[in-house]
Amino acid sequence: MRAYVPTGKAHTGQSPIEPHVVLAELPQPRLRPDEALIKVEAYSVNRGETFKLEEPGASWRPGKDVAGLVVQQAADGSGPEAGRRVVGHPMGAGWAEYAAVPTSALAELPDAVSSPQAAALPLAGLTALRLLRAAGPVGGRRILLTGASGGVGHYVTELAAAAGADLTAVTSSPERGARLRELGAATVVHDVADASGPYDLVLESTGGSALPVALSRLRRGGTLIWFGQASRTPVTLDFFDFFKGPESATLRHFHYMDFPESYADDLAALVRLVATGRLHPELGRVTDWADTADTLVDLRERRIRGNAVLTVS
């Protein structure tokens, strides 16, 4: 089969370091008893994967978001049968014609959900769903969301607004802000410093200088949940700043994998929301998988709004 693998090389030029992948011939995956073999029809690429490609490790292959067809059911009899359309969340190796996916990370797809839509769900959708679950009830609460123009941000905006939150989205451009308003954002600003608090909850994914500014917008006793580091810049906090506003505030770190719920159940919930028109994957780019390398660069350089999906021809 054909699959994308890291070259382990990067070059510097006028642009920042750009990770590289190459299409290679590999054997089909060897399945564990609880894994199904999926013929991949579409996969999504994530900005975090572009960073990991800089130092990929000896055996790592990218690809955590796939949609396609079960061609071999898991040997232990679990999960969807052969011939079923599915969305899956393997831990890697999904940028390929075939992928091995644990049945605990598979959900069946109805006809109403296309493979490109489904491929945009796993990492971004699971992160958004579980982030809001970690935040607790959001109805009637004022929320500040930084880094809102990516796939996670779009899902968080739509889900939180549907639950009754008053959400302020921080995004880089008016065009991206217009779409977030359509999804339910009450307010859009282009710099976190322009956000008018106080907020009950801050969902922060930028890091660097943005996190202390976002923290200062919290009400007394509010909560900031840190779930990303898009700026790749370390955060410096002066804890005396708490006395200037967000006294008794709570800071939490979040990672979507730190939850007992199964991926399969949460993927099924996301699929159901899409199928019933209550969640809309933001497909910023859908193109043939031959364009994977160029798409990685554009995603890293923030030239793609929402999710980038490659279809396997």
Side-chain angles (χ1 to χ4, degrees):
M1 71 166 188
R2 294 174 297 166
Y4 277 101
V5 299
T7 63
K9 299 178 181 178
H11 71 268
T12 57
Q14 293 182 344
S15 298
I17 295 174
E18 297 173 355
H20 290 270
V21 291
V22 64
L23 198 59
E25 285 288 341
L26 296 176
Q28 277 196 13
R30 298 180 65 180
L31 302 179
R32 296 188 176 95
D34 66 339
E35 291 181 330
L37 184 65
I38 309 303
K39 186 179 187 301
V40 179
E41 296 176 350
Y43 58 82
S44 179
V45 300
N46 299 288
R47 196 162 180 264
E49 290 171 308
T50 71
F51 299 138
K52 191 166 182 178
L53 282 166
E54 293 176 10
E55 298 180 7
S59 59
W60 177 77
R61 284 171 44 209
K64 301 185 74 172
D65 295 355
V66 302
L69 192 71
V70 177
V71 294
Q72 184 176 330
Q73 187 179 16
D76 65 4
S78 64
E81 299 176 350
R84 299 289 188 177
R85 294 179 62 241
V86 291
V87 58
H89 187 51
M91 288 298 97
W95 300 357
E97 291 179 307
Y98 294 90
V101 184
T103 57
S104 61
L106 280 176
E108 292 193 34
L109 294 175
D111 292 340
V113 180
S114 70
S115 290
Q117 286 178 308
L121 284 175
L123 183 59
L126 289 169
T127 299
L129 186 68
R130 294 178 171 200
L131 177 62
L132 290 172
R133 187 178 294 153
V138 298
R141 300 176 76 189
R142 296 197 73 211
I143 298 176
L144 176 63
L145 172 66
T146 67
S149 61
V152 176
H154 282 87
Y155 289 136
V156 168
T157 298
E158 189 166 18
L159 291 171
D166 181 336
L167 185 136
T168 295
V170 183
T171 187
S172 59
S173 71
E175 178 191 8
R176 298 181 181 208
R179 179 57 179 154
L180 291 165
R181 285 186 183 277
E182 291 174 0
L183 294 174
T187 306
V188 174
V189 296
H190 305 306
D191 189 313
V192 66
D194 295 329
S196 178
Y199 295 95
D200 303 297
L201 174 68
V202 171
L203 304 176
E204 213 292 302
S205 65
T206 305
S209 60
L211 193 151
V213 177
L215 178 64
S216 72
R217 300 304 191 265
L218 266 182
R219 67 166 177 80
R220 188 180 189 279
T223 299
L224 184 148
I225 302 179
W226 175 64
F227 70 99
Q229 187 79 352
S231 70
R232 307 188 79 193
T233 304
V235 175
T236 300
L237 285 178
D238 183 344
F239 281 87
F240 285 102
D241 287 342
F242 278 85
F243 298 110
K244 298 177 183 177
E247 221 177 342
S248 303
T250 300
L251 271 68
R252 295 180 55 186
H253 177 256
F254 166 88
H255 195 282
Y256 81 101
M257 295 178 68
D258 298 335
F259 279 76
E261 293 86 356
S262 80
Y263 293 138
D265 290 343
D266 282 350
L267 285 172
L270 292 166
V271 168
R272 184 171 62 253
L273 289 170
V274 175
T276 55
R278 290 179 289 169
L279 188 66
H280 299 83
E282 190 70 12
L283 303 181
R285 177 177 298 177
V286 179
T287 187
D288 187 84
W289 73 322
D291 299 326
T292 295
D294 289 341
T295 298
L296 290 172
V297 174
D298 289 343
L299 187 67
R300 183 187 174 106
E301 297 299 310
R302 298 186 178 278
R303 292 193 283 263
I304 297 174
R305 182 185 69 210
N307 294 93
V309 174
L310 289 304
T311 57
V312 181
S313 55

